Amino acid sequence: MRFGLSEEQTLLSDSITRFLADNVPLEEVRKVASGEASDSAVWQGLTELGVPGLMIPEDHGGVGLGSLDAVVVADCLGGNVTPSPFISSAVIAPTILLAAGKREDLLGSIAGGEVRIGIAFGEAIGARVDADVKVSGGKISGKSLFALDTQADHFLVATKGKHIYLVSASDCEVTDLPTVDRTRTTCEIKYNDVAAELISDDPAVFTEALDRARVVMASDTLGAAQHMIDEAVAYAKVREQFNRPIASFQAVKHMCAQMIADLEPCRSMVWYAGHALDSVPEEARLLACHTKAHLAEVGRSVSKTATEVHGGMGFTDLLGLHYWFKRCGFNRQMLGVPEVVREEAARLQGLAA
Amino acid sequence: MRFGLSEEQTLLSDSITRFLADNVPLEEVRKVASGEASDSAVWQGLTELGVPGLMIPEDHGGVGLGSLDAVVVADCLGGNVTPSPFISSAVIAPTILLAAGKREDLLGSIAGGEVRIGIAFGEAIGARVDADVKVSGGKISGKSLFALDTQADHFLVATKGKHIYLVSASDCEVTDLPTVDRTRTTCEIKYNDVAAELISDDPAVFTEALDRARVVMASDTLGAAQHMIDEAVAYAKVREQFNRPIASFQAVKHMCAQMIADLEPCRSMVWYAGHALDSVPEEARLLACHTKAHLAEVGRSVSKTATEVHGGMGFTDLLGLHYWFKRCGFNRQMLGVPEVVREEAARLQGLAA
Amino acid sequence: MELSFGPEYESFREEVRDFITTHKDQQAPSSAGSEAGKSWQKTLIEAGYTARTIPKEYGGFGAAPDMVKSRIINEEFSTARMPGGLGGQGISMLIPTLLEMGTDEQKEQFIKPTLHGEMVWCQGYSEPGAGSDLASLRTSAVLDGDEWVINGSKIWTSTAHLAHWMFCLVRTEPDAPKHNGISFLLLRMDTPGIEIRPLVDMTMNANFNEVFFTDVRVPKDQIVGRRGQGWQVANAILGHERDSLADPNASMTRLNSLIDLMKTETLGGERLIDNPLYRERLMKIQGRVMAMRYNDMRVLSSRLNKDQEAPLARMITKLQGTELRHELEALAIDAMGEVGLSFGSNPYLRGGGSWQYQFMYFLGLIIGGGTNQIQKNIISERGLGMPKEPKIEK
Amino acid sequence: MELSFGPEYESFREEVRDFITTHKDQQAPSSAGSEAGKSWQKTLIEAGYTARTIPKEYGGFGAAPDMVKSRIINEEFSTARMPGGLGGQGISMLIPTLLEMGTDEQKEQFIKPTLHGEMVWCQGYSEPGAGSDLASLRTSAVLDGDEWVINGSKIWTSTAHLAHWMFCLVRTEPDAPKHNGISFLLLRMDTPGIEIRPLVDMTMNANFNEVFFTDVRVPKDQIVGRRGQGWQVANAILGHERDSLADPNASMTRLNSLIDLMKTETLGGERLIDNPLYRERLMKIQGRVMAMRYNDMRVLSSRLNKDQEAPLARMITKLQGTELRHELEALAIDAMGEVGLSFGSNPYLRGGGSWQYQFMYFLGLIIGGGTNQIQKNIISERGLGMPKEPKIEK
């Protein structure tokens, strides 16, 4: 019995972490967040490590790894607030195309980092405002909101009925929708009766992709929150007030203890949820829901508390701590807010209608 | 402008507090809680201070005071975990009989402490288990659960439709239902087609009584929680560990600070809610709901934290702190749990169906 | 319980309302330094609706202090959304300080122009190394002939880029115990050696600045109070600032905006207010806001009535009020889901982006103005009489 | 991730299951000291399902330590609700202590009868004045000839009224620094001068006792370890107790009972599970219980695999687990409304009154076994490397 990452997964984590430390310092994140640069360079760099093709089988040009490996990568990406279309292009899109057995020709270009696939799932999870899409006779009309990845070449669009269509970004009117978290992009897509290719009419395909994405997003929060705790503890040890490091004040110590007490079990939960997606299908859905919702809650409290431990410095842009705060906030709201996701968890167990 | 108690109300509070300190020490509470004694002696003593007739007009033999005065008394009773049928006999019953203009002949005996009126409101607020009552042709059948005051001479029973009937305890099968809080009694009443006198078929009468009872119960929690904070702070100042009073540890200080920060605004809220019942009818209902629910939450957290501050001593029976803990617990659950009461608050504002 | 202010004040309220009606077309001045702003300030002072208790000789209205009248003015202006008088730390902090501790010359020189918007001030208290422990500040001022020579830096200085003058705390007696080595100086912001850097915060706005001093020379007499007495000078009015950070009436107004939002925004076609989970959270917050509102009435009452005391009610306002607002804003964000993330130029912004902005801003207020951990120290020590932590002197 | 224990252990699991099937009619012994209890203990030891790693010469099964086998035994016994071996602090705390620190004579004299239920022990560590700060204990033992003379008192002594012996910590070197002045003694509970008073707790049960010592004389050689070394002796095994207070598998079982309860109880005719507010709280707790469960798997794994470390995962178990259980019990009470208040002989008790009982009992566990404030000190200091508070020596 061995609960934890394999040697290969630890190596994967180390190499991604090293790459990000060397190539995506906070300065680079700031540039992307401020619009001075796009995340393309980062994505190209990650392509050399095989990240876009992580979950794509080798015979399609990928690395052929599983969900737990994606969890490992997301933990690193979140920990570094790395700008990238990882969840959309590397997790959701390959899952859908492979599960549906459609347009597998795209997989090679995804793995090669040449093609990015955006995701418009909002309407299938719980539509906001007047977002709605209609498909008839191979044409799609309407609009999607807060779709992932403004720079995508294609979008996978899910309807309320959980059918999934592929549309080309160049056929649509795509407008960036800035959110608090500028390390990932979201957009509005207007479809004016344009070509839409049916990829799947099986809701199970949508669900499989959503489950994976939720666990991966939870892992991104895990990484971000862990980073914030590490920073808070380190800052408290060097910051002196009243002639002592603030880390020696019981109030500060207990804030840090509570943060890690809340987050530490999340690591095991995220790992197990990743493992379940690969190997314990009967538990995977429930795990995906609970992991997404639980990490959303812990992410919120940790990101608040870690900011507080930093005092005024946490509120400024000087240390850039807020990028992690906002990353946790983004992950909480996207792909299902906790209330919605917990209700799904109840439904899965026959506890809600 | 003067927000607060009048001089008379302060005097009332002082005299009740003094009476309770002299006549109802913890030893007496223990006796009632263990079943060695009933609360009759306490109630008789309080009669001398006019407590049972507090809200009964002078021409009916009472003192003719208002809701804010009842709030003041409840604060004292809760602070001393005083066993007594105050809410049922002195608050709800007079309110109903006066509002309905029925059986006012009972008011004098209530004020004189000779008659106690119990209250069976559960079914009208939200029925549990198989409690249900039916009235037809002046006869009542069915059963009520967790009615207030096992020793009552009569019960005011509310139906689902919020009609209120008076029944005689001697006509019914009354069984004590012990709860964690043995300072007040609740019972099961079985009605076997016995005489029931219609007191009111106007739901507004029920509602007025319920509003008052909820505010008074919230005030009871206020008193109990304040007592627990006072005890916790006092204990922390004398209890030494690691060669210093535990009150000098920041963790303990912040627990106490949070307790009082939560409770202090409750005092103003309870006072205003009492005042609104007397003088601001358009705000009274909303205040009653929110005050009941908010004090339930604060009562729970304060009673937990104050116990923790006492360490192992808080968990034992030695200091009797648990009587206050349980009092807060009882007040939370009776006359509407917070979730039910908040939903009523939403409904009052047109925010819920 | 007597919640009316009585007939005298009700007629004063009518007076204020009449003024508001007369001036109902008054626009909010675009900026503090604008001519329109100064002119409106003049009108308000003449009517007695701002600078009310400042002596006439210093450009104020010269009325006796009357908390009720001040409150009535605030209430009526706020209800009518009528622009109030000029704000800023010069008016709210420096003027009361000078009135209490300044020399006649200082009062003469500074109060009137400050009041009339001719002289804008910033505050230099906190330093990068002196936040919660403000008294450990290190920016030094050394007397050299007739001048103080200042070196060091200040942080959290709002409006530094707009200010003509700064009032600040500096260490003038390096060998004295830390609270006794500080002086309160006034200095012109165009003095050579001052550098201002905007300080961007997590809302991505430069609400604050850092100010750096390199051999900044300030005339010797620009000190308020005596040498080494600066801590007492500053503390004479510090308490005022804290209370205003979490006004329960503002929370109530904000709550009503949240209710409106929840009535219009939808999730899967259902109004947010119809979702039992969000509605329950809304009601929980409403209950807490109401409690804080009555707490505030009690605080006001204790100020009006000499025989009433409510020190704890006052002490807990900042702690509770800032956490409550932060949670209130969070509920709006949560309930809106993806839409709640909107920021910047996003066309789906709700409330002009204020929900995310205030969510972060109130986290800043949880930290600022004495962190909520410092507040809990104060509440437990001054409010509950619990002992201070053992002190460590270096 | 490899969550199976492998074929060797799966066949061991089969073995355990066969044993359980063979003994499926075994009743839980009515009390620890009963003959049935002793006989069942003997059967279990012979099969190797309790006292597994205790050497044969001291009456145990004599197997090499194997955490996986122990866990499999626990899992299978628990699933089948098969009564386990004898418990109590003599078996769980004293025997491991003696094995590590006892003399051969002590091992000889005490382990076997303790293991076989002939000798029942209680623990005398905490004192009224020494709780979180256990090392400040004051019960004294003074050597008088060949005997220790003990005076003082102990608290939180469970089973004191049933025990034949006590192992306890006493101060033998009053002038030494506090951690170095303590010795670990063994004494007979029928020694003259011992008085036992039951200690009723908030659940109204006497789960604990106070024990008072007046000139209690104990033979000199009834000491474990050396004089002044008692703190080290006791701490060699203290950690074990803490972990068992908040077993996540027990929380999961309890959560399932709560789900069953919410499916059957009603409010206004609606099942509690159909109330969105209670359902949401249930789901929140379920998510947390699951997180603790996988955390526990990680802890187990780190014990089985030398190259894995998870010190924080282990350190947070008590803090998180006890709070979580307290909240879980609270949800049951809340959802049941008035019915949730039932206690004692109330016929509407649900779950035999266990919801209110456990709600309070887990508040006791939040406090006991090292208060959750002490846990946070440990997590921050040992887990996060934050500095200790400045110490004050009297």
Side-chain angles (χ1 to χ4, degrees):
Chain A
M1 186 268 188
R2 187 181 174 87
F3 184 97
L5 303 183
S6 68
E7 209 172 313
E8 292 75 17
Q9 284 158 343
T10 306
L11 287 172
L12 175 64
S13 173
D14 290 348
S15 72
I16 305 272
T17 303
R18 211 163 32 237
F19 170 81
L20 296 175
D22 293 346
N23 297 281
V24 195
L26 183 56
E27 267 326 297
E28 182 66 23
V29 175
R30 285 186 192 279
K31 274 187 200 155
V32 176
S34 67
E36 262 181 80
S38 88
D39 62 6
S40 303
V42 176
W43 196 232
Q44 283 312 316
L46 287 169
T47 302
E48 283 161 40
L49 296 173
V51 169
L54 194 80
M55 302 186 82
I56 295 172
E58 291 176 73
D59 54 6
H60 285 290
V63 188
L65 294 178
S67 299
L68 183 52
D69 306 283
V71 156
V72 167
V73 172
D75 183 4
C76 302
L77 296 174
N80 193 72
V81 288
T82 310
S84 93
F86 179 67
I87 289 182
S88 45
S89 279
V91 178
I92 303 180
T95 301
I96 289 173
L97 299 180
L98 286 161
K102 284 277 183 66
R103 291 302 306 270
E104 298 186 348
D105 58 299
L106 285 169
L107 293 170
S109 348
I110 296 173
E114 296 124 36
V115 163
R116 293 164 68 141
I117 314 269
I119 302 298
F121 269 15
E123 291 65 64
I125 297 168
R128 301 281 175 171
V129 207
D130 52 349
D132 196 16
V133 290
K134 294 259 176 304
V135 183
S136 131
K139 300 280 187 177
I140 187 168
S141 56
K143 73 173 171 184
S144 295
L145 282 177
F146 296 94
L148 292 170
D149 198 5
T150 305
Q151 294 176 69
D153 304 289
H154 306 278
F155 287 97
L156 286 165
V157 184
T159 63
K160 284 211 175 76
K162 299 177 182 173
H163 295 192
I164 302 171
Y165 293 88
L166 185 73
V167 300
S168 172
S170 57
D171 290 347
C172 311
E173 198 181 319
V174 176
T175 317
D176 189 40
L177 293 182
T179 71
V180 280
D181 174 24
R182 307 270 175 123
T183 64
R184 273 87 55 93
T185 54
T186 70
C187 56
E188 176 178 29
I189 316 172
K190 286 191 185 142
Y191 316 98
N192 195 0
D193 218 28
V194 301
E197 182 180 357
L198 178 68
I199 298 296
S200 162
D201 57 6
D202 178 1
V205 169
F206 168 84
T207 300
E208 187 187 339
L210 181 62
D211 287 347
R212 282 197 178 172
R214 283 175 170 172
V215 174
V216 168
M217 198 160 239
S219 185
D220 193 274
T221 296
L222 173 70
Q226 182 68 55
H227 174 89
M228 292 190 84
I229 296 175
D230 294 344
E231 290 292 315
V233 170
Y235 182 81
K237 286 178 185 171
V238 297
R239 169 78 175 172
E240 296 204 354
Q241 290 287 274
F242 305 104
N243 293 329
R244 45 196 272 208
I246 62 168
S248 72
F249 283 101
Q250 208 178 19
V252 174
K253 288 163 72 173
H254 285 200
M255 287 165 91
C256 292
Q258 190 63 60
M259 283 196 283
I260 201 69
D262 289 338
L263 191 66
E264 190 67 14
C266 291
R267 181 169 307 281
S268 305
M269 186 185 209
V270 167
W271 285 353
Y272 188 80
H275 170 70
L277 287 166
D278 293 330
S279 314
V280 199
E282 67 278 16
E283 295 183 13
R285 289 228 61 203
L286 184 62
L287 254 302
C289 290
H290 272 311
T291 304
K292 171 74 167 72
H294 184 59
L295 267 290
E297 304 292 359
V298 174
R300 168 165 285 173
S301 67
V302 166
S303 61
K304 175 183 181 236
T305 307
T307 304
E308 281 192 78
V309 169
H310 278 83
M313 235 1 94
F315 183 62
T316 70
D317 182 46
L318 294 172
L319 304 177
L321 193 75
H322 62 92
Y323 289 108
W324 283 264
F325 180 95
K326 292 165 180 172
R327 185 100 167 189
C328 292
F330 183 93
N331 292 349
R332 179 184 174 97
Q333 307 291 99
M334 292 302 292
L335 301 180
V337 291
E339 291 78 10
V340 166
V341 179
R342 276 192 289 264
E343 190 69 356
E344 284 185 48
R347 230 175 283 128
L348 285 171
Q349 301 170 82
L351 301 177
Chain B
M1 186 267 188
R2 188 182 173 88
F3 183 97
L5 303 184
S6 67
E7 210 171 313
E8 293 74 18
Q9 285 158 342
T10 306
L11 287 172
L12 174 65
S13 174
D14 291 347
S15 72
I16 304 273
T17 303
R18 211 164 33 238
F19 169 82
L20 295 175
D22 293 346
N23 297 280
V24 195
L26 184 55
E27 267 327 296
E28 182 66 22
V29 175
R30 286 186 192 279
K31 275 188 199 153
V32 175
S34 67
E36 263 181 78
S38 88
D39 62 5
S40 303
V42 175
W43 197 232
Q44 283 311 316
L46 287 168
T47 302
E48 284 162 38
L49 295 173
V51 169
L54 194 81
M55 302 185 82
I56 295 172
E58 291 174 73
D59 54 5
H60 286 288
V63 188
L65 293 178
S67 298
L68 183 52
D69 306 282
V71 155
V72 167
V73 172
D75 184 4
C76 302
L77 296 174
N80 193 71
V81 289
T82 309
S84 94
F86 179 67
I87 290 182
S88 45
S89 280
V91 178
I92 303 180
T95 302
I96 289 173
L97 299 179
L98 286 161
K102 286 275 183 66
R103 292 301 306 270
E104 298 185 349
D105 58 298
L106 285 168
L107 293 169
S109 348
I110 295 173
E114 298 124 34
V115 164
R116 293 164 68 142
I117 313 268
I119 302 298
F121 269 15
E123 290 65 65
I125 297 169
R128 302 283 175 170
V129 207
D130 51 351
D132 196 16
V133 291
K134 295 258 176 301
V135 183
S136 131
K139 301 279 188 178
I140 188 168
S141 56
K143 73 173 170 183
S144 295
L145 282 176
F146 297 93
L148 292 170
D149 198 6
T150 305
Q151 293 175 71
D153 304 288
H154 305 278
F155 286 97
L156 286 165
V157 184
T159 64
K160 284 210 174 76
K162 300 176 181 172
H163 296 193
I164 302 171
Y165 294 88
L166 185 74
V167 298
S168 172
S170 57
D171 290 346
C172 312
E173 198 182 319
V174 176
T175 318
D176 189 39
L177 293 182
T179 71
V180 280
D181 175 22
R182 308 271 175 122
T183 64
R184 273 87 57 92
T185 54
T186 69
C187 56
E188 176 179 28
I189 316 172
K190 286 190 185 142
Y191 315 99
N192 196 0
D193 218 30
V194 301
E197 181 180 357
L198 178 69
I199 298 295
S200 162
D201 57 6
D202 177 0
V205 170
F206 168 84
T207 300
E208 187 187 338
L210 181 62
D211 287 347
R212 282 197 178 172
R214 283 174 170 174
V215 174
V216 169
M217 198 161 239
S219 186
D220 193 274
T221 296
L222 172 70
Q226 182 69 55
H227 174 88
M228 291 190 84
I229 296 175
D230 294 344
E231 291 291 316
V233 170
Y235 182 81
K237 286 178 185 171
V238 298
R239 168 78 175 171
E240 295 204 355
Q241 291 286 273
F242 306 103
N243 294 329
R244 44 197 272 209
I246 62 168
S248 72
F249 283 102
Q250 208 178 19
V252 174
K253 287 162 72 172
H254 285 200
M255 288 165 90
C256 292
Q258 190 62 59
M259 283 195 283
I260 200 69
D262 289 338
L263 191 66
E264 190 67 14
C266 291
R267 181 169 307 281
S268 304
M269 186 185 210
V270 166
W271 284 353
Y272 187 80
H275 169 71
L277 287 166
D278 292 332
S279 314
V280 200
E282 67 278 17
E283 295 183 14
R285 289 228 60 205
L286 184 61
L287 255 301
C289 290
H290 272 311
T291 304
K292 171 74 167 71
H294 184 58
L295 267 290
E297 305 292 0
V298 174
R300 166 164 286 172
S301 67
V302 166
S303 60
K304 175 184 181 233
T305 307
T307 304
E308 283 191 76
V309 169
H310 278 81
M313 236 359 94
F315 183 63
T316 69
D317 182 46
L318 295 172
L319 304 176
L321 193 75
H322 63 92
Y323 288 109
W324 283 264
F325 179 95
K326 292 165 180 174
R327 186 99 167 189
C328 291
F330 184 92
N331 292 349
R332 179 184 174 97
Q333 307 291 99
M334 292 301 293
L335 301 179
V337 290
E339 290 79 9
V340 165
V341 179
R342 277 192 289 263
E343 191 69 356
E344 284 185 47
R347 229 176 283 128
L348 284 171
Q349 300 171 82
L351 302 177
Chain C
M1 279 288 179
E2 175 49 67
L3 301 182
S4 133
F5 293 120
E8 181 204 343
Y9 288 113
E10 289 319 310
S11 85
F12 179 75
R13 192 185 291 277
E14 284 313 312
E15 214 181 289
V16 179
R17 284 185 182 166
D18 288 347
F19 175 91
I20 289 172
T21 309
T22 312
H23 296 84
K24 67 178 187 300
D25 297 328
Q26 177 66 35
Q27 298 294 311
S30 57
S31 84
S34 69
E35 285 313 308
K38 291 175 193 170
S39 146
W40 179 234
Q41 175 79 349
K42 195 154 173 279
T43 309
L44 289 174
I45 293 175
E46 277 164 13
Y49 297 156
T50 199
R52 209 182 143 69
T53 60
I54 294 172
K56 279 213 160 116
E57 53 179 315
Y58 302 129
F61 180 71
D66 188 324
M67 256 178 298
V68 175
K69 286 193 176 167
S70 304
R71 191 178 176 99
I72 288 172
I73 296 164
N74 283 344
E75 280 176 8
E76 294 302 322
F77 272 60
S78 156
T79 307
R81 298 178 193 225
M82 170 81 25
L86 294 180
Q89 291 172 316
I91 290 175
S92 67
M93 308 273 295
L94 179 68
I95 291 180
T97 305
L98 288 180
L99 283 170
E100 205 170 322
M101 320 280 261
T103 61
D104 287 347
E105 293 72 22
Q106 287 168 341
K107 292 178 190 167
E108 195 70 46
Q109 182 183 357
F110 296 116
I111 297 181
K112 191 166 180 181
T114 301
L115 212 48
H116 286 258
E118 309 289 347
M119 199 182 266
V120 176
W121 292 79
C122 61
Q123 172 192 290
Y125 284 5
S126 299
E127 298 180 5
S132 293
D133 183 14
L134 180 60
S136 71
L137 60 89
R138 290 188 196 171
T139 293
S140 67
V142 176
L143 206 55
D144 178 27
D146 277 352
E147 291 177 324
W148 295 105
V149 183
I150 305 180
N151 281 284
S153 69
K154 293 289 176 184
I155 197 170
W156 306 117
T157 315
S158 45
T159 67
H161 52 302
L162 303 172
H164 308 108
W165 283 75
M166 169 188 272
F167 57 98
C168 64
L169 294 176
V170 292
R171 184 159 305 280
T172 51
E173 331 297 314
D175 301 325
K178 68 180 181 181
H179 292 84
N180 299 330
I182 295 168
S183 297
F184 191 108
L185 299 190
L186 310 176
L187 55 90
R188 295 181 61 98
M189 289 300 281
D190 57 5
T191 319
I194 294 180
E195 188 200 343
I196 299 167
R197 281 187 219 152
L199 184 64
V200 175
D201 62 46
M202 70 192 294
T203 70
M204 302 318 272
N205 289 287
N207 288 313
F208 302 96
N209 300 277
E210 290 180 279
V211 180
F212 298 86
F213 303 91
T214 312
D215 293 331
V216 174
R217 303 188 80 90
V218 172
K220 187 180 167 181
D221 62 349
Q222 281 175 203
I223 185 170
V224 181
R226 284 203 305 275
R227 270 182 78 146
Q229 223 190 18
W231 185 253
Q232 290 71 28
V233 173
N235 270 281
I237 54 150
L238 249 188
H240 295 290
E241 190 187 27
R242 211 172 277 143
D243 283 0
S244 63
L245 294 179
D247 175 17
N249 294 305
S251 301
M252 190 61 88
T253 306
R254 190 66 174 161
L255 182 81
N256 290 332
S257 302
L258 175 53
I259 293 174
D260 291 342
L261 181 83
M262 289 177 62
K263 281 179 174 171
T264 50
E265 293 296 315
T266 57
L267 166 59
E270 180 193 60
R271 295 187 316 158
L272 296 178
I273 195 74
D274 294 330
N275 179 306
L277 305 179
Y278 296 126
R279 189 168 64 232
E280 157 89 344
R281 277 176 66 186
L282 179 72
M283 287 300 100
K284 268 190 176 169
I285 287 176
Q286 188 177 50
R288 290 164 63 196
V289 170
M290 286 169 80
M292 289 310 292
R293 192 191 206 183
Y294 302 116
N295 187 71
D296 185 56
M297 288 172 68
R298 185 164 163 229
V299 169
L300 173 67
S301 182
S302 74
R303 287 180 172 161
L304 294 175
N305 299 285
K306 292 259 179 293
D307 63 323
Q308 288 187 323
E309 284 186 0
L312 276 164
R314 198 166 149 188
M315 237 176 254
I316 57 103
T317 303
K318 192 257 169 180
L319 172 67
Q320 296 295 81
T322 51
E323 294 282 354
L324 181 51
R325 270 300 291 279
H326 181 70
E327 285 180 46
L328 191 161
E329 309 295 327
L331 170 55
I333 292 170
D334 284 358
M336 286 192 286
E338 301 91 323
V339 177
L341 290 168
S342 306
F343 208 62
S345 59
N346 189 314
Y348 292 96
L349 276 188
R350 298 296 186 250
S354 61
W355 301 105
Q356 278 285 353
Y357 181 84
Q358 301 272 14
F359 176 62
M360 293 186 270
Y361 191 74
F362 271 86
L363 177 52
L365 288 186
I366 285 171
I367 294 167
T371 68
N372 281 1
Q373 282 67 51
I374 295 289
Q375 298 300 322
K376 288 185 195 174
N377 282 355
I378 294 173
I379 294 165
S380 59
E381 289 164 16
R382 294 189 213 159
L384 300 174
M386 298 175 87
K388 291 199 173 231
E389 289 209 75
K391 273 213 177 156
I392 296 164
E393 290 291 348
K394 231 177 191 162
Chain D
M1 280 286 180
E2 174 50 67
L3 301 182
S4 132
F5 292 121
E8 180 204 344
Y9 289 113
E10 289 318 311
S11 85
F12 180 75
R13 191 184 290 277
E14 284 313 312
E15 214 182 289
V16 178
R17 284 184 182 166
D18 287 347
F19 174 90
I20 289 172
T21 309
T22 312
H23 297 82
K24 68 179 186 301
D25 297 328
Q26 176 65 36
Q27 299 292 312
S30 57
S31 85
S34 68
E35 285 313 310
K38 290 176 194 169
S39 144
W40 178 234
Q41 175 79 350
K42 193 154 174 280
T43 308
L44 289 174
I45 293 175
E46 278 163 13
Y49 296 155
T50 197
R52 209 181 144 70
T53 59
I54 292 172
K56 279 212 160 116
E57 52 178 315
Y58 302 130
F61 179 71
D66 187 324
M67 255 177 300
V68 175
K69 286 191 177 167
S70 304
R71 191 178 177 99
I72 288 172
I73 296 164
N74 283 345
E75 280 175 8
E76 294 302 322
F77 272 60
S78 157
T79 307
R81 296 175 195 228
M82 170 81 22
L86 294 179
Q89 290 171 317
I91 290 176
S92 67
M93 307 274 295
L94 179 69
I95 290 180
T97 304
L98 288 181
L99 283 171
E100 205 170 320
M101 319 281 259
T103 62
D104 287 348
E105 291 73 22
Q106 286 168 341
K107 291 179 190 167
E108 195 69 46
Q109 181 182 357
F110 296 117
I111 297 182
K112 191 166 180 182
T114 300
L115 211 48
H116 288 258
E118 310 288 347
M119 198 182 266
V120 175
W121 292 79
C122 62
Q123 173 191 290
Y125 284 4
S126 299
E127 297 180 6
S132 293
D133 183 14
L134 180 59
S136 71
L137 58 89
R138 290 190 196 169
T139 293
S140 67
V142 176
L143 205 55
D144 179 27
D146 277 351
E147 290 177 325
W148 295 105
V149 183
I150 306 179
N151 281 284
S153 69
K154 294 290 175 182
I155 197 170
W156 307 116
T157 314
S158 45
T159 67
H161 50 305
L162 303 172
H164 309 110
W165 284 75
M166 170 188 272
F167 57 98
C168 65
L169 294 176
V170 292
R171 185 159 304 280
T172 51
E173 331 296 315
D175 301 326
K178 69 179 180 180
H179 291 86
N180 299 329
I182 295 168
S183 297
F184 190 108
L185 299 189
L186 310 176
L187 55 90
R188 295 182 60 97
M189 290 298 282
D190 58 5
T191 319
I194 295 180
E195 188 200 343
I196 298 167
R197 282 187 219 153
L199 184 64
V200 174
D201 63 47
M202 70 191 295
T203 69
M204 303 317 273
N205 289 288
N207 287 312
F208 301 95
N209 299 277
E210 290 180 279
V211 181
F212 297 86
F213 303 91
T214 312
D215 293 332
V216 173
R217 304 187 79 91
V218 171
K220 188 181 167 181
D221 62 349
Q222 281 176 204
I223 184 171
V224 181
R226 283 203 305 275
R227 271 181 76 146
Q229 224 190 17
W231 186 253
Q232 290 72 28
V233 174
N235 269 281
I237 54 151
L238 249 187
H240 294 291
E241 191 187 28
R242 211 173 275 142
D243 283 0
S244 62
L245 294 179
D247 175 18
N249 294 307
S251 301
M252 190 61 89
T253 306
R254 190 66 174 160
L255 182 81
N256 289 332
S257 302
L258 175 54
I259 293 174
D260 290 344
L261 181 83
M262 289 177 61
K263 281 180 174 171
T264 50
E265 293 297 314
T266 58
L267 166 59
E270 182 193 60
R271 296 187 314 159
L272 296 178
I273 196 72
D274 294 330
N275 179 306
L277 305 179
Y278 296 127
R279 188 168 63 232
E280 158 89 344
R281 275 176 66 185
L282 179 71
M283 287 299 100
K284 269 189 176 169
I285 287 176
Q286 187 176 50
R288 289 164 64 195
V289 170
M290 287 170 80
M292 289 310 293
R293 192 192 206 182
Y294 302 116
N295 186 70
D296 184 55
M297 288 173 69
R298 184 163 163 230
V299 169
L300 174 67
S301 182
S302 74
R303 286 178 172 162
L304 294 175
N305 300 284
K306 293 258 179 296
D307 63 322
Q308 288 187 322
E309 285 186 0
L312 276 165
R314 197 166 150 188
M315 238 175 252
I316 57 102
T317 304
K318 192 257 170 179
L319 172 67
Q320 296 295 82
T322 51
E323 294 281 354
L324 181 51
R325 270 300 291 279
H326 181 70
E327 286 181 45
L328 191 162
E329 310 295 326
L331 170 54
I333 293 170
D334 283 359
M336 286 191 286
E338 301 92 324
V339 177
L341 290 169
S342 306
F343 207 61
S345 59
N346 188 314
Y348 292 96
L349 276 189
R350 298 298 185 249
S354 62
W355 301 104
Q356 279 285 354
Y357 181 84
Q358 301 272 14
F359 175 63
M360 292 186 270
Y361 191 74
F362 271 86
L363 177 52
L365 288 186
I366 285 171
I367 294 166
T371 69
N372 281 0
Q373 282 66 52
I374 295 289
Q375 299 300 322
K376 287 184 195 174
N377 281 355
I378 294 173
I379 294 165
S380 59
E381 290 165 15
R382 295 189 211 157
L384 300 173
M386 298 174 88
K388 291 198 173 230
E389 289 209 76
K391 275 213 177 157
I392 296 165
E393 291 290 348
K394 229 173 192 164

